[in-house]
Amino acid sequence: GGLTMEKNTEDVLEETKGKIIFVNSFQGGAGKTTLSLSYCISALFDALPWKNREKYTNVIYMDLDILGTGTSYLFDDKYTKEKKYFNLTKNAVKIPLHLKDGVRKEFLYAAFLEPGLKNSSSYGEPHFINHQNIAQTTLKENVLSFIKQKFSEVPETLLVLDCAPGFSDFEQEILLECYKMVKKDVLGVQEDYVTTLDHAHIHKCVQCLEDSVNGFKKLSSERTMNIIINDVQNYDGWLKDKTKDADEEWNRIKEDVLGQLKKADAKIWRWRYSENVAMSSVYLNGEKVENHPEDYLFTGEKFKEI
């Protein structure tokens, strides 16, 4: 049977004033983990790209890639030890972050999945791949229970869900359940789909979003969707005709993408990838996120709607 979206009043969180952001892509390597962490760190240090609300009390980053976390290498080993993984503890790890000015200190709560989850059954034994569906169901229930608990405890929470590429059934089910918890002006859900400027990548992103509308028909008027174009190569610098205005070129890109969207209603954002983040990610030059959180802060030039 298909997924339905009739609202259950028991699922609606009455007093919350928070936000859930799903960050996904339809191709690996688009930058969704970096974007997810940028949302979190910018929220902690009051640098979010929107300014129409108060600072969040709690900020939680959650890795939802059931094929194994891709973020464990971004944080110190003491935060990613097996005994602290979300699928074993149902809890997030508290990570202190300091800006280089040495003055500001904030705490990020991060939930990591154990990298071997893809080879585990719901009973924690390895090599039972045939039990993967059971493991996913258990994980989904734990994730949803965690989300409801955190927003009930601290309504002013920002929760960023870093999804696996491809918008799996597992993540779609979590997204649908989160929309059930939405209440106007109380708790919001936002979907971000990251793509590079590669023509095929953008086309694939648009096509997948269009297809998703059919499966989310009852959400057509409720969904808040963004297409985030990762300008990882600095498109402005690639313009051969220097007489052209870069903003006009980006507007042309936006109009073309919007022209491809027939059913999905989405906003288009330009995200200028940080050179410092790129350099710190180079092989043999890998640097932990907590050692340079200031590079993940949004600025008007680095992230803006077009």
Side-chain angles (χ1 to χ4, degrees):
L3 296 168
T4 60
M5 273 303 301
E6 286 80 6
K7 295 215 173 186
N8 184 337
T9 54
E10 294 180 359
D11 288 330
V12 177
L13 300 174
E14 292 294 333
E15 300 299 327
T16 56
K17 297 180 181 178
K19 176 172 274 189
I20 301 172
I21 303 179
F22 276 75
V23 182
N24 211 330
S25 66
F26 297 100
Q27 181 174 312
K32 63 181 179 54
T33 294
T34 300
L35 181 63
S36 299
L37 292 169
S38 293
Y39 274 133
C40 291
I41 295 172
S42 293
L44 288 172
F45 295 101
D46 196 27
L48 281 170
W50 56 85
K51 294 291 183 182
N52 59 343
R53 62 151 291 113
E54 296 178 1
K55 190 171 182 287
Y56 292 100
T57 303
N58 265 1
V59 177
I60 304 171
Y61 165 83
M62 177 173 264
D63 189 345
L64 283 187
D65 190 345
I66 61 172
L67 295 182
T69 178
T71 53
S72 59
Y73 68 93
L74 294 172
F75 295 91
D76 191 274
D77 291 343
K78 66 183 177 182
Y79 302 123
T80 58
K81 288 186 179 298
E82 183 176 359
K83 64 181 181 180
K84 295 185 178 181
Y85 288 129
F86 175 81
N87 52 301
L88 302 177
T89 65
K90 303 179 187 178
N91 292 310
V93 180
K94 189 176 182 180
I95 300 175
L97 295 176
H98 305 257
L99 295 184
K100 283 184 178 177
D101 59 20
V103 176
R104 301 195 60 182
K105 176 181 178 180
E106 300 288 349
F107 292 96
L108 172 67
Y109 292 88
F112 304 101
L113 295 183
E114 188 262 319
L117 182 62
K118 64 179 178 180
N119 294 323
S120 302
S121 75
S122 60
Y123 308 105
E125 298 295 330
H127 312 307
F128 286 92
I129 299 178
N130 57 310
H131 290 304
Q132 185 61 36
N133 287 337
I134 300 176
Q136 286 187 33
T137 299
T138 302
L139 178 62
K140 181 187 72 174
E141 292 171 352
N142 289 341
V143 168
L144 291 173
S145 175
F146 174 84
I147 292 173
K148 292 178 182 180
Q149 176 189 349
K150 293 306 174 185
F151 280 101
S152 296
E153 293 174 348
V154 183
E156 297 82 12
T157 291
L158 174 67
L159 172 66
V160 180
L161 299 173
D162 183 4
C163 302
F167 200 25
S168 69
D169 291 343
F170 165 74
E171 285 149 347
Q172 289 180 47
E173 290 174 10
I174 291 177
L175 178 61
L176 285 168
E177 291 299 320
C178 286
Y179 269 115
K180 286 183 182 179
M181 293 187 283
V182 167
K183 187 175 180 182
K184 188 176 181 181
D185 299 325
V186 174
L187 173 66
V189 174
Q190 173 181 316
E191 304 170 53
D192 281 15
Y193 297 93
V194 188
T195 174
T196 66
L197 258 174
D198 179 83
H199 177 80
H201 195 179
I202 290 179
H203 183 74
K204 182 177 181 179
C205 179
V206 169
Q207 186 59 56
C208 289
L209 281 184
E210 286 284 283
D211 292 343
S212 80
V213 171
N214 293 326
F216 286 72
K217 286 181 179 178
K218 293 187 178 181
L219 285 177
S220 59
S221 62
E222 300 179 42
R223 294 177 76 183
T224 299
M225 294 187 292
N226 297 309
I227 295 177
I228 314 295
I229 300 177
N230 184 357
D231 186 16
V232 68
Q233 292 180 310
N234 184 12
Y235 181 64
D236 293 6
W238 281 71
L239 287 176
K240 294 179 180 179
D241 186 352
K242 298 303 179 183
T243 62
K244 288 187 177 180
D245 182 85
D247 288 339
E248 289 182 5
E249 287 294 289
W250 276 99
N251 189 62
R252 191 166 66 90
I253 293 171
K254 178 194 75 173
E255 293 300 325
D256 183 71
V257 174
L258 291 177
Q260 295 180 49
L261 290 169
K262 305 301 181 185
K263 294 173 288 186
D265 183 14
K267 293 181 178 179
I268 315 296
W269 293 71
R270 176 194 179 186
W271 173 36
R272 176 76 181 279
Y273 200 82
S274 167
E275 289 185 18
N276 290 340
V277 170
M279 288 301 296
S280 65
S281 302
V282 174
Y283 189 60
L284 298 182
N285 192 41
E287 194 175 350
K288 307 295 186 182
V289 170
E290 65 257 41
N291 294 332
H292 58 117
E294 57 281 337
D295 292 331
Y296 289 82
L297 300 178
F298 287 123
T299 67
E301 289 305 308
K302 284 173 60 177
F303 194 88
K304 59 183 179 181
E305 186 180 352
I306 55 174

